[in-house]
Amino acid sequence: MSKVAFIGLGVMGYPMAGHIAKRGHDVTVFNRTAAKAAKWVAEFGGQHAPTPAEAAKGADFVFSCVGNDNDLREVTTAPDGAFGALKPGAIFIDNTTDSADVARELHAAAKAHGAHFLDAPVSGGQAGAENGTLTVMVGGDADAFASAEPVIASFARAVRHMGPAGAGQLTKMVNQLCIAGVVQGLAEGIHFAQKAGLDVAAVIDTISKGAAQSWQMENRSKTMDAGQFDFGFAVDWMRKDLAICLDEARKNGAHLPLAALVDQFYSEVQAMGGKRWDTSSLIARLNRK
Amino acid sequence: MSKVAFIGLGVMGYPMAGHIAKRGHDVTVFNRTAAKAAKWVAEFGGQHAPTPAEAAKGADFVFSCVGNDNDLREVTTAPDGAFGALKPGAIFIDNTTDSADVARELHAAAKAHGAHFLDAPVSGGQAGAENGTLTVMVGGDADAFASAEPVIASFARAVRHMGPAGAGQLTKMVNQLCIAGVVQGLAEGIHFAQKAGLDVAAVIDTISKGAAQSWQMENRSKTMDAGQFDFGFAVDWMRKDLAICLDEARKNGAHLPLAALVDQFYSEVQAMGGKRWDTSSLIARLNRK
C-alpha cells in the first residue's frame, strides 16, 4: 500500500479520494475549506493537512481535483504548493479538466523537482466518481503512468495512457466537443418534436435504434422534454471546458464553428439563470418565451 | 397473401420491393427507367407495369419510394398516377422522405378516392433496405396502419405508428436534426484530435464508453479519420431533408440554428465536389486546405 495525498474534495474529489482510501492506501487530504477535509477524515480515516505542501510531504502519489488552471497552479507551484514538498520520484496526478498548456508546464516543473506529473482528467460525472467507475484519460511519461495506474484504478472503470504530457487534457477536449454537437442536435430535435405536436417519448424510442442514437439521447431526452436540468455537469463548467477547447484550437489551427456557437448558446442559458443547470439545458434556450 | 404495387426501384425501393415479394405477395412494380423494373421482375418474379396507374390497378397495398414531394405527386395525383386507379379501401404507403404537407395533402386526396394514405419514411439506409431491417415511422389513420403493418414489416425491424397524417415525416425530421448535431460535433472532435496529434482511434475507443458516445461515433469515426465518405446516405439527400426540416420549422415556429448552419456547411461540401459523399464528410470541410 502507498502513501497518497489528495488535494481538492469537491463533488468529484471527495468520493474519488474515498475510493483510494477504501483500497487500503494511507491518504492525507487537503481542502481549501478545512471542515470538508475533517468530514472526509471522519468518514474514510487517514488525516488532513493545513496546506498542499504538508499533504504532499512523503507521499508516493499526490492527486489533485480542483477548478481550473489557476487553482491548479495555486496547489502546486505557489508557496505552500505541493511541488516544493514532493519527494524524489513522487508522481503528481491531476484529475482536473484544465488546459494542455498547464499540463505541459507542470510536467516540466515536476521534472525540475525530480518528480513526475500526469494530466489525468476524468469523464463519467458525479455518479461515476461516487461509484468508482470513471474513465481516466492520461497524458505523461509511460513509466510514471505504469506506476500510477493501479492507484488511479481505485476510482475508475478505465484508465488509458493517451500520449505525452497534455494528451489526457486534449482527449477530454475531444470528448466535450462531441458532446456539444450531440446535445445541441438533440435539443433541436426534441424542441422540433414538441412544436410539431409529436409524442416525444415515442419518437425517441423509435429513432434511438438507428443512426441518430447517442448516450445523451438515451439518458437525457426524457428530462430535456420535461425541462429538468439537475443532472450534475453544470453549464458553467461546460463553458470553462469549451473555452479550453477554443483556446487550444487557436494554437493548433482547428476549426470549431459548432463549439463556438454552442458556447455562445450556453452564455444565453447562463443569462437565463442556468449557470448550475446541466448541459442538456440548451433546450431551455430554444423553448424560452 | 395480397396484391401489392411498388413504385420506385431506387437503391432503397429495389430491395424493399424484393422483400415484399419474398414474403409471397403478388408484386407489380413501376419504375421510371423500365429496364430496372424488368431486371427486378427477372430477380423476384411478379410483373412490371408501364405507368403507376397500371401498377396500382386492383392492388390492396401500393408502396412508393421516390425522390421528393414533386416526384411523389407525379406518381400519385398526376395523370397516369396511382390515385386514379386505387380500388376502394386500398392503402397507399409512401416510404419517401418528404414534407409533412404533402403527406397531409395526399392523405386527403386518397380519402376522396375512397382509399387510405400512410406517410411511412424509413431509416436504416441502403444496408437496412437490403437486409430488411429498416425502421419505419408511420403517420395516418390507425386502422389503415393496422392493415398495412404486416406488409410493411416485410422489410422492417420496427414499424411504429407515430400519429395522424404527417407524423411519420415529422418523426423522420427529428431523426435528421439529431444526426446533424451528432455528425458536426464528431467531425469537430476528430478534426481537433488530428490537429492535436492524438491517436484518433485510441481517443475514440476511450471516449465512446461515456457521455460522448453515439452510433455515428461507433460506426463512422474510423472512416471520418481516414477521409472515406462512401457509406450510402449522400450529402445531396441530407440537404433535401434539412430543407424539409427548415421549411416545417418556418411553419411550426421551431428554432433550428444548428440545423441551418450544418445545412450551409453541407452546401460547402457540395461545392467541394461532395454531393455524393456520405453525411460524415462534414469533416472534409474542416480539413480542406
Side-chain angles (χ1 to χ4, degrees), chain B residues 29-180:
Chain B
V29 296
F30 167 80
N31 193 61
R32 210 149 46 176
T33 308
K36 193 82 169 282
K39 177 170 179 281
W40 187 94
V41 170
E43 185 171 348
F44 296 106
Q47 47 280 320
H48 65 101
T51 64
E54 291 289 329
K57 201 169 287 173
D60 306 297
F61 303 97
V62 183
F63 289 79
S64 62
C65 195
V66 296
N68 55 38
D69 285 17
N70 287 338
D71 296 334
L72 179 61
R73 288 195 185 94
E74 188 71 30
V75 300
T76 53
T77 53
D80 288 333
F83 274 26
L86 289 178
K87 73 176 189 185
I91 302 175
F92 192 104
I93 301 119
D94 176 39
N95 299 121
T96 314
T97 294
D98 38 35
S99 72
D101 277 353
V102 78
R104 294 183 199 109
E105 167 194 322
L106 294 180
H107 182 261
K111 279 265 179 297
H113 283 90
H116 307 281
F117 180 88
L118 299 171
D119 51 298
V122 303
S123 72
Q126 194 174 337
E130 286 165 0
N131 299 326
T133 56
L134 292 169
T135 293
V136 191
M137 299 150 260
V138 187
D141 300 343
D143 51 354
F145 172 79
S147 303
E149 197 270 343
V151 188
I152 301 174
S154 306
F155 52 75
R157 168 170 66 184
V159 187
R160 288 288 298 267
H161 186 228
M162 304 308 304
Q169 297 298 347
L170 292 166
T171 300
K172 179 68 187 281
M173 290 177 214
V174 177
N175 189 73
Q176 305 303 71
L177 292 171
C178 292
I179 288 175

Side-chain angles (χ1 to χ4, degrees), chain A residues 23 32 50-51 94 98 104 115-116 120 125 130 147 164 172 183 193 195 214 220 232 239-240 278-279:
Chain A
R23 288 283 180 102
R32 211 151 42 179
T51 64
D94 176 39
D98 36 37
R104 292 184 200 109
H116 306 280
E130 285 164 1
S147 302
K172 179 69 187 283
V183 175
K195 289 282 188 183
S214 64
R220 292 290 178 268
R239 285 211 80 194
K240 184 203 76 169
D278 75 58
T279 49

Side-chain angles (χ1 to χ4, degrees), chain A residues 193 197-204 225, chain B residues 162:
Chain A
L198 295 170
D199 176 340
V200 175
V203 169
I204 295 298
D225 184 33
Chain B
M162 304 308 304

Side-chain angles (χ1 to χ4, degrees), chain A residues 173-188:
Chain A
M173 292 178 211
V174 177
N175 189 73
Q176 304 305 69
L177 292 170
C178 292
I179 288 176
V182 174
V183 175
Q184 178 63 22
L186 183 61
E188 292 189 17

Side-chain angles (χ1 to χ4, degrees), chain A residues 17-36:
Chain A
H19 285 292
I20 296 173
K22 281 191 272 182
R23 288 283 180 102
H25 299 291
D26 175 20
V27 182
T28 302
V29 296
F30 167 80
N31 193 62
R32 211 151 42 179
T33 308
K36 194 83 168 280

